[in-house]
Amino acid sequence: MPRYALKIEYDGAPFAGWQRQKQHPSVQQAVEEALRRLQPDAPGIAAAGRTDAGVHALGQVAHCDLVKEWDPFRLREALNHHLKPLPVAILEAVQVDEGFHARFSATERRYLFRLLCRRAPATHERGNVWQVAYPLALAPMQEAARRLLGRHDFTTFRSTMCQADSPVKTLDALDIEEIAVPYGQEFRFHVRARSFLHNQVRSFVGTLERVGAGAWTPDDVQAALEARDRAACGPVCPPQGLYLAHVTYPQDPFQA
């Protein structure tokens, strides 16, 4: 059966996450139903990351197996037709080797988190950013972020529902940039690692926001990391500012 890799963009607001669920709509369900309009017995699909409810994607990757050999352009167009009017888009479709696996072949995942600081409510970005009504300081957040880089036991920043075998992960990058916006500021957190624990990025951002607000210091973040205790974590921020931005593979299937 020919295997295809799909690069997927979606707004996570209407969904209970990526993974198919019995009683709630999911992105996986939406894509699988579109595939089954093309092939009624199409098997389930696998994705690079199981994003939570309300989390968005700019570059989620999934793979599917189909009986018919499709021209990738026509496959993309057909799927996008059947996905309407849901906020899910297939950006690219390519045929890949049968050994390609969207999850297990991935070597890196990159997340983006958007934090808007301004008193006036968000209008155009509503549902796409986490908003706070007060300014934050960039430099202390950057210093605290540097304390988290490298290989650590991240129990403090791990959800109690996390199913990972080990809390030990290597954080390759946690870069923060400040962007001027009308009547406020936006901070963008760029986070990169091979894999992440459940709620790890949202735990990072919620804790770093406390540093930017002056309630925590970088030393407090260091102490929280070393505590290896979920109770030592700062508040976990809401999901609407989080995006799965990019997935890296040894050979990029989408590069011409």
Coordinates of all heavy atoms in Angstrom, one line a residue, residues 157-228:
F157 N 8.0 19.8 35.8 CA 7.3 20.4 34.7 C 6.5 19.3 33.9 O 6.3 19.5 32.7 CB 8.3 21.1 33.8 CG 9.1 22.2 34.5 CD1 10.3 22.0 35.0 CD2 8.5 23.5 34.7 CE1 11.0 23.0 35.7 CE2 9.2 24.5 35.4 CZ 10.4 24.2 35.9
R158 N 6.2 18.3 34.6 CA 5.5 17.1 33.9 C 4.1 17.0 34.5 O 4.0 16.9 35.8 CB 6.3 15.9 34.2 CG 5.7 14.6 33.7 CD 6.5 13.4 34.2 NE 6.2 12.2 33.5 CZ 6.7 11.0 33.9 NH1 7.5 10.9 34.9 NH2 6.4 9.9 33.2
S159 N 3.1 16.8 33.7 CA 1.7 16.6 34.2 C 1.7 15.3 35.0 O 2.4 14.3 34.6 CB 0.8 16.5 33.0 OG -0.5 16.0 33.4
T160 N 0.9 15.2 36.0 CA 0.7 14.0 36.8 C 0.0 12.9 35.9 O 0.1 11.7 36.3 CB -0.2 14.3 38.0 OG1 -1.4 14.8 37.6 CG2 0.5 15.2 39.0
M161 N -0.5 13.3 34.8 CA -1.2 12.3 33.9 C -0.2 11.9 32.8 O -0.6 11.1 31.9 CB -2.4 12.9 33.3 CG -3.5 13.2 34.3 SD -5.1 13.7 33.5 CE -4.5 15.2 32.7
C162 N 1.0 12.4 32.8 CA 2.0 12.0 31.7 C 2.3 10.5 31.7 O 2.5 9.9 32.8 CB 3.3 12.8 32.0 SG 4.5 12.5 30.7
Q163 N 2.3 9.9 30.6 CA 2.5 8.5 30.4 C 3.9 8.1 29.9 O 4.2 7.0 29.6 CB 1.5 7.9 29.5 CG 0.0 8.1 30.0 CD -1.0 7.5 29.0 OE1 -0.7 7.1 27.9 NE2 -2.2 7.5 29.4
A164 N 4.8 9.1 29.9 CA 6.2 8.9 29.4 C 6.9 7.9 30.4 O 6.6 8.0 31.6 CB 6.9 10.2 29.3
D165 N 7.7 7.1 29.9 CA 8.4 6.1 30.7 C 9.4 6.8 31.7 O 9.6 6.3 32.8 CB 9.2 5.1 29.9 CG 8.3 4.2 29.0 OD1 7.2 4.0 29.5 OD2 8.8 3.7 28.0
S166 N 10.0 7.9 31.3 CA 10.9 8.6 32.1 C 10.7 10.1 32.1 O 10.4 10.7 31.0 CB 12.4 8.3 31.7 OG 13.3 9.1 32.3
P167 N 11.0 10.8 33.2 CA 10.9 12.3 33.2 C 12.1 13.0 32.7 O 12.2 14.2 32.6 CB 10.6 12.6 34.7 CG 11.4 11.6 35.4 CD 11.2 10.3 34.6
V168 N 13.1 12.2 32.3 CA 14.4 12.7 31.9 C 14.3 13.0 30.4 O 14.1 12.1 29.6 CB 15.6 11.8 32.1 CG1 16.9 12.3 31.6 CG2 15.7 11.5 33.6
K169 N 14.5 14.3 30.0 CA 14.5 14.8 28.7 C 15.7 15.7 28.4 O 16.2 16.3 29.4 CB 13.2 15.5 28.3 CG 12.0 14.6 28.4 CD 11.9 13.6 27.2 CE 10.7 12.7 27.3 NZ 10.6 11.7 26.2
T170 N 16.0 16.0 27.2 CA 17.0 17.0 26.8 C 16.3 18.1 26.1 O 15.7 17.9 25.0 CB 18.1 16.3 25.9 OG1 18.7 15.3 26.6 CG2 19.1 17.4 25.5
L171 N 16.4 19.3 26.7 CA 15.8 20.5 26.1 C 16.9 21.2 25.3 O 17.9 21.7 25.9 CB 15.3 21.4 27.2 CG 14.6 22.7 26.7 CD1 13.4 22.4 25.9 CD2 14.3 23.6 27.9
D172 N 16.7 21.3 24.0 CA 17.8 21.8 23.1 C 17.7 23.3 23.0 O 18.7 24.0 22.8 CB 17.7 21.2 21.7 CG 17.9 19.7 21.7 OD1 18.9 19.3 22.4 OD2 17.2 18.9 21.1
A173 N 16.5 23.9 23.1 CA 16.4 25.4 22.9 C 15.1 25.8 23.6 O 14.1 25.1 23.6 CB 16.4 25.8 21.5
L174 N 15.2 27.0 24.2 CA 14.0 27.7 24.8 C 14.3 29.2 24.6 O 14.8 29.9 25.5 CB 13.8 27.3 26.2 CG 12.3 27.5 26.7 CD1 12.2 27.0 28.2 CD2 11.8 28.9 26.6
D175 N 14.1 29.7 23.4 CA 14.4 31.1 23.1 C 13.1 31.9 23.2 O 12.0 31.5 22.8 CB 14.9 31.2 21.6 CG 16.2 30.3 21.4 OD1 17.0 30.4 22.4 OD2 16.3 29.7 20.4
I176 N 13.3 33.1 23.7 CA 12.2 34.0 23.9 C 12.5 35.3 23.1 O 13.5 35.9 23.3 CB 11.9 34.3 25.4 CG1 11.9 33.1 26.2 CG2 10.7 35.1 25.6 CD1 11.9 33.3 27.7
E177 N 11.5 35.8 22.3 CA 11.7 37.0 21.6 C 10.5 37.9 22.0 O 9.4 37.5 22.2 CB 11.7 36.8 20.1 CG 10.5 36.2 19.4 CD 10.6 36.2 17.9 OE1 11.2 37.1 17.3 OE2 10.0 35.3 17.3
E178 N 10.7 39.2 22.0 CA 9.7 40.2 22.3 C 9.4 41.0 21.0 O 10.3 41.4 20.3 CB 10.2 41.2 23.3 CG 9.2 42.3 23.7 CD 9.7 43.2 24.8 OE1 10.8 43.0 25.3 OE2 8.9 44.1 25.2
I179 N 8.1 41.1 20.7 CA 7.6 41.8 19.5 C 6.7 42.9 19.9 O 5.7 42.7 20.7 CB 6.9 40.8 18.6 CG1 7.8 39.7 18.2 CG2 6.3 41.5 17.3 CD1 7.2 38.5 17.4
A180 N 6.9 44.1 19.4 CA 6.0 45.2 19.7 C 4.7 45.0 19.0 O 4.7 44.7 17.8 CB 6.7 46.5 19.3
V181 N 3.6 45.2 19.7 CA 2.3 45.1 19.1 C 1.5 46.4 19.5 O 1.9 47.0 20.5 CB 1.5 43.9 19.5 CG1 2.2 42.6 19.0 CG2 1.3 43.8 21.0
P182 N 0.4 46.8 18.9 CA -0.3 48.0 19.3 C -0.7 47.9 20.7 O -1.4 47.0 21.1 CB -1.5 48.0 18.3 CG -1.0 47.3 17.1 CD -0.1 46.2 17.6
Y183 N -0.3 48.9 21.5 CA -0.7 49.0 22.9 C -0.2 47.9 23.8 O -0.8 47.6 24.8 CB -2.2 49.3 23.0 CG -2.7 50.4 22.2 CD1 -3.2 50.2 21.0 CD2 -2.5 51.7 22.7 CE1 -3.7 51.3 20.2 CE2 -2.9 52.8 21.9 CZ -3.5 52.6 20.7 OH -3.9 53.7 19.9
G184 N 0.8 47.2 23.4 CA 1.3 46.1 24.3 C 2.6 45.5 23.7 O 3.3 46.1 22.9
Q185 N 2.8 44.3 24.1 CA 4.0 43.5 23.7 C 3.6 42.0 23.6 O 2.6 41.5 24.3 CB 5.1 43.6 24.7 CG 4.7 43.3 26.1 CD 5.7 43.6 27.2 OE1 5.3 43.7 28.4 NE2 6.9 43.9 26.9
E186 N 4.2 41.4 22.6 CA 4.0 39.9 22.5 C 5.3 39.2 22.7 O 6.3 39.6 22.2 CB 3.4 39.5 21.1 CG 3.2 38.0 21.0 CD 2.6 37.6 19.6 OE1 1.9 38.4 19.0 OE2 3.0 36.5 19.1
F187 N 5.3 38.2 23.5 CA 6.5 37.3 23.7 C 6.2 36.0 23.0 O 5.2 35.4 23.1 CB 6.7 37.1 25.2 CG 7.1 38.3 25.9 CD1 6.2 39.1 26.6 CD2 8.5 38.8 25.9 CE1 6.6 40.3 27.2 CE2 8.9 39.9 26.5 CZ 7.9 40.7 27.2
R188 N 7.2 35.6 22.2 CA 7.1 34.3 21.5 C 8.2 33.4 22.1 O 9.4 33.7 22.0 CB 7.3 34.5 20.0 CG 6.1 35.3 19.4 CD 6.1 35.3 17.9 NE 4.9 36.0 17.4 CZ 4.6 36.1 16.2 NH1 5.4 35.6 15.2 NH2 3.5 36.8 15.8
F189 N 7.8 32.2 22.6 CA 8.7 31.2 23.2 C 8.9 30.1 22.1 O 7.9 29.5 21.7 CB 8.0 30.6 24.4 CG 7.8 31.6 25.5 CD1 6.7 32.5 25.4 CD2 8.6 31.6 26.6 CE1 6.5 33.4 26.5 CE2 8.4 32.6 27.7 CZ 7.3 33.4 27.6
H190 N 10.1 29.9 21.7 CA 10.5 28.9 20.7 C 11.2 27.8 21.4 O 12.3 28.0 21.9 CB 11.4 29.5 19.6 CG 10.7 30.7 18.9 ND1 9.9 30.6 17.8 CD2 10.9 32.0 19.1 CE1 9.5 31.7 17.4 NE2 10.1 32.7 18.2
V191 N 10.5 26.6 21.4 CA 11.0 25.5 22.3 C 11.3 24.3 21.3 O 10.5 24.0 20.5 CB 10.0 25.1 23.3 CG1 10.6 24.2 24.4 CG2 9.4 26.3 24.0
R192 N 12.5 23.7 21.6 CA 13.0 22.6 20.7 C 13.5 21.5 21.4 O 14.4 21.7 22.3 CB 14.0 23.2 19.7 CG 14.6 22.3 18.7 CD 15.3 23.1 17.6 NE 16.3 24.0 18.1 CZ 17.5 23.7 18.3 NH1 17.9 22.5 18.2 NH2 18.4 24.6 18.7
A193 N 13.1 20.3 21.1 CA 13.6 19.0 21.7 C 13.2 17.8 20.9 O 12.3 18.0 20.0 CB 13.1 18.9 23.2
R194 N 13.9 16.7 21.1 CA 13.5 15.5 20.4 C 12.1 15.1 20.8 O 11.2 14.7 19.9 CB 14.4 14.4 20.7 CG 14.1 13.1 20.0 CD 15.1 12.0 20.3 NE 14.8 10.8 19.5 CZ 15.3 10.5 18.3 NH1 16.2 11.3 17.8 NH2 15.0 9.4 17.6
S195 N 11.7 15.2 22.1 CA 10.4 14.8 22.5 C 10.1 15.6 23.8 O 11.0 16.1 24.5 CB 10.2 13.3 22.7 OG 11.1 12.9 23.7
F196 N 8.8 15.6 24.2 CA 8.4 16.4 25.3 C 7.5 15.6 26.3 O 6.8 14.7 25.8 CB 7.6 17.7 24.9 CG 8.5 18.7 24.2 CD1 8.7 18.6 22.8 CD2 9.1 19.7 24.9 CE1 9.4 19.6 22.2 CE2 9.9 20.7 24.3 CZ 10.0 20.6 22.9
L197 N 7.5 16.0 27.5 CA 6.6 15.4 28.5 C 5.2 16.1 28.3 O 5.1 17.2 27.8 CB 7.1 15.6 29.9 CG 8.5 14.9 30.2 CD1 9.0 15.4 31.5 CD2 8.4 13.4 30.2
H198 N 4.2 15.4 28.9 CA 2.8 16.0 28.8 C 2.8 17.3 29.6 O 3.2 17.4 30.8 CB 1.8 15.0 29.4 CG 0.4 15.4 29.2 ND1 -0.6 15.1 30.0 CD2 -0.2 16.2 28.2 CE1 -1.8 15.6 29.6 NE2 -1.5 16.3 28.5
N199 N 2.3 18.4 28.9 CA 2.2 19.7 29.5 C 3.6 20.4 29.8 O 3.6 21.4 30.6 CB 1.4 19.7 30.8 CG -0.1 19.8 30.5 OD1 -0.5 19.9 29.4 ND2 -0.9 19.6 31.6
Q200 N 4.6 19.9 29.3 CA 6.0 20.4 29.6 C 6.1 21.9 29.1 O 6.6 22.7 29.9 CB 7.1 19.5 29.0 CG 8.5 20.0 29.5 CD 9.5 19.0 28.9 OE1 9.2 18.0 28.3 NE2 10.8 19.3 29.3
V201 N 5.7 22.1 27.9 CA 5.9 23.5 27.4 C 5.0 24.5 28.1 O 5.5 25.6 28.5 CB 5.6 23.5 25.9 CG1 5.7 24.9 25.3 CG2 6.6 22.6 25.1
R202 N 3.8 24.1 28.3 CA 2.9 25.0 29.1 C 3.3 25.2 30.5 O 3.1 26.3 31.1 CB 1.5 24.5 29.0 CG 0.8 24.6 27.6 CD -0.5 23.8 27.5 NE -1.4 24.2 28.5 CZ -2.5 23.5 28.9 NH1 -2.7 22.3 28.3 NH2 -3.3 23.9 29.8
S203 N 3.9 24.2 31.1 CA 4.5 24.4 32.4 C 5.7 25.4 32.4 O 5.9 26.2 33.3 CB 4.9 23.1 33.0 OG 3.8 22.2 33.2
F204 N 6.5 25.2 31.4 CA 7.7 26.1 31.2 C 7.2 27.6 31.1 O 7.6 28.5 31.8 CB 8.4 25.8 30.0 CG 9.4 24.6 30.1 CD1 9.8 24.0 28.9 CD2 9.8 24.1 31.3 CE1 10.7 22.9 28.9 CE2 10.6 23.0 31.3 CZ 11.1 22.4 30.2
V205 N 6.2 27.8 30.2 CA 5.8 29.2 29.9 C 5.1 29.8 31.1 O 5.3 31.0 31.5 CB 4.9 29.2 28.7 CG1 4.3 30.6 28.5 CG2 5.7 28.8 27.4
G206 N 4.2 29.0 31.8 CA 3.5 29.5 33.0 C 4.5 29.9 34.1 O 4.3 30.9 34.8
T207 N 5.6 29.1 34.2 CA 6.6 29.4 35.2 C 7.4 30.7 34.8 O 7.7 31.6 35.7 CB 7.5 28.2 35.4 OG1 6.7 27.1 35.9 CG2 8.6 28.5 36.5
L208 N 7.8 30.7 33.6 CA 8.6 31.9 33.1 C 7.8 33.2 33.1 O 8.4 34.3 33.3 CB 9.1 31.6 31.7 CG 10.1 30.4 31.6 CD1 10.5 30.1 30.1 CD2 11.4 30.8 32.4
E209 N 6.5 33.1 32.9 CA 5.7 34.3 33.0 C 5.7 34.9 34.4 O 5.8 36.1 34.6 CB 4.2 33.9 32.6 CG 3.3 35.1 32.6 CD 2.6 35.4 34.0 OE1 2.7 34.5 34.9 OE2 2.2 36.5 34.2
R210 N 5.8 34.0 35.4 CA 5.9 34.5 36.8 C 7.3 35.2 37.0 O 7.4 36.2 37.8 CB 5.8 33.3 37.8 CG 4.5 32.6 37.9 CD 3.4 33.5 38.5 NE 2.9 34.6 37.7 CZ 2.5 35.8 38.1 NH1 2.4 36.0 39.4 NH2 2.0 36.7 37.3
V211 N 8.3 34.8 36.3 CA 9.6 35.5 36.4 C 9.5 36.8 35.7 O 9.9 37.9 36.2 CB 10.7 34.6 35.7 CG1 12.0 35.4 35.6 CG2 10.9 33.3 36.4
G212 N 8.9 36.9 34.5 CA 8.7 38.2 33.8 C 7.9 39.2 34.6 O 8.1 40.4 34.5
A213 N 6.9 38.7 35.4 CA 6.1 39.5 36.2 C 6.8 40.0 37.5 O 6.2 40.8 38.2 CB 4.8 38.8 36.5
G214 N 7.9 39.4 37.8 CA 8.6 39.8 39.0 C 8.3 38.9 40.3 O 8.8 39.2 41.3
A215 N 7.4 38.0 40.1 CA 7.0 37.2 41.3 C 8.0 36.1 41.6 O 8.1 35.6 42.7 CB 5.6 36.6 41.0
W216 N 8.7 35.6 40.5 CA 9.8 34.6 40.7 C 11.1 35.2 40.2 O 11.1 36.2 39.4 CB 9.4 33.4 39.9 CG 8.4 32.4 40.4 CD1 7.2 32.8 40.9 CD2 8.4 31.0 40.4 NE1 6.5 31.6 41.2 CE2 7.2 30.5 40.9 CE3 9.4 30.1 40.0 CZ2 6.9 29.2 41.0 CZ3 9.1 28.7 40.1 CH2 7.9 28.3 40.6
T217 N 12.2 34.6 40.6 CA 13.5 34.9 40.1 C 14.0 33.7 39.2 O 13.5 32.6 39.4 CB 14.5 35.2 41.2 OG1 14.7 34.0 41.9 CG2 13.9 36.3 42.1
P218 N 15.1 33.9 38.4 CA 15.7 32.8 37.8 C 16.2 31.7 38.8 O 16.1 30.5 38.5 CB 16.8 33.4 37.0 CG 16.3 34.8 36.7 CD 15.6 35.2 37.9
D219 N 16.6 32.1 39.9 CA 17.0 31.2 40.9 C 15.9 30.3 41.4 O 16.0 29.1 41.7 CB 17.7 31.9 42.1 CG 19.1 32.4 41.8 OD1 19.7 31.9 40.8 OD2 19.5 33.3 42.6
D220 N 14.7 30.9 41.5 CA 13.5 30.1 41.9 C 13.2 29.1 40.8 O 12.8 27.9 41.2 CB 12.3 31.1 42.0 CG 12.4 32.0 43.2 OD1 13.0 31.7 44.2 OD2 11.8 33.1 43.1
V221 N 13.4 29.4 39.6 CA 13.2 28.4 38.5 C 14.2 27.3 38.6 O 13.8 26.1 38.5 CB 13.2 29.0 37.1 CG1 13.1 28.0 36.0 CG2 12.1 30.1 37.0
Q222 N 15.4 27.6 38.9 CA 16.5 26.6 39.1 C 16.1 25.7 40.3 O 16.2 24.5 40.2 CB 17.8 27.3 39.4 CG 19.0 26.4 39.6 CD 19.6 25.8 38.3 OE1 19.7 26.6 37.4 NE2 19.9 24.6 38.3
A223 N 15.6 26.3 41.4 CA 15.2 25.5 42.5 C 14.1 24.6 42.2 O 14.0 23.4 42.7 CB 14.9 26.4 43.7
A224 N 13.1 25.1 41.4 CA 11.9 24.3 41.1 C 12.4 23.1 40.2 O 11.9 22.0 40.4 CB 10.9 25.1 40.3
L225 N 13.3 23.3 39.3 CA 13.8 22.2 38.5 C 14.5 21.1 39.3 O 14.2 19.9 39.2 CB 14.8 22.8 37.4 CG 15.5 21.7 36.6 CD1 14.6 21.0 35.7 CD2 16.6 22.4 35.8
E226 N 15.3 21.6 40.2 CA 16.1 20.7 41.1 C 15.2 19.9 42.1 O 15.6 18.9 42.6 CB 17.2 21.4 41.8 CG 18.3 21.9 40.8 CD 19.3 22.8 41.4 OE1 19.2 23.1 42.6 OE2 20.3 23.2 40.7
A227 N 14.0 20.5 42.4 CA 13.1 19.9 43.4 C 12.5 18.6 42.9 O 12.2 17.7 43.6 CB 12.0 20.8 43.7
R228 N 12.4 18.4 41.5 CA 11.8 17.2 40.9 C 10.5 16.9 41.6 O 10.2 15.8 41.9 CB 12.8 16.1 41.0 CG 14.1 16.3 40.3 CD 15.0 15.0 40.4 NE 16.3 15.2 39.8 CZ 17.3 15.7 40.4 NH1 17.2 16.1 41.7 NH2 18.5 15.9 39.8

